[in-house]
Amino acid sequence: MGLLDNLKARLSPAKGKVSGLAQQHGDKVQHGLDKAAKVVDEKTKGKYSDRIQSGTGKAKGAMDRLAHKDESAGGGDTFTPPKTPPPAS
């Protein structure tokens, strides 16, 4: 067993715990990211707004991946019916 395989085996239980915490507290973390982005943007007087927004978006995407919120995008067998009925002919 290689070093990376050994490391993956040991970190596997921690991944489940982190995922659970991300699901429970994801909204709080995302609120904190927004708040921090606003403070940094104010301190830099808007000079780096585009970079701050980009970084915030990437951090939120990472949180969603940790919380497994985007499971249906991975090619799952889920089907969402349309909200409106088809037109009658």
Side-chain angles (χ1 to χ4, degrees):
M1 187 178 227
L3 177 66
L4 288 177
D5 293 331
N6 190 10
L7 187 61
K8 285 181 185 178
R10 290 185 182 209
L11 290 178
S12 178
K15 184 178 179 184
K17 290 180 183 178
V18 170
S19 177
L21 288 172
Q23 286 176 347
Q24 288 178 337
H25 303 291
D27 56 337
K28 293 178 185 177
V29 172
Q30 289 191 7
H31 177 69
L33 286 169
D34 287 336
K35 193 172 180 179
K38 182 180 176 185
V39 169
V40 171
D41 196 32
E42 288 174 357
K43 292 287 183 179
T44 59
K45 298 178 182 161
K47 186 175 181 181
Y48 302 104
S49 291
D50 55 338
R51 292 182 182 155
I52 292 168
Q53 293 303 317
S54 174
T56 304
K58 288 179 183 179
K60 287 181 180 182
M63 276 297 301
D64 287 344
R65 285 191 308 276
L66 276 175
H68 299 291
K69 290 183 180 178
D70 57 345
E71 285 178 348
S72 62
D77 293 332
T78 59
F79 172 73
T80 305
K83 292 183 180 181
T84 58
S89 307

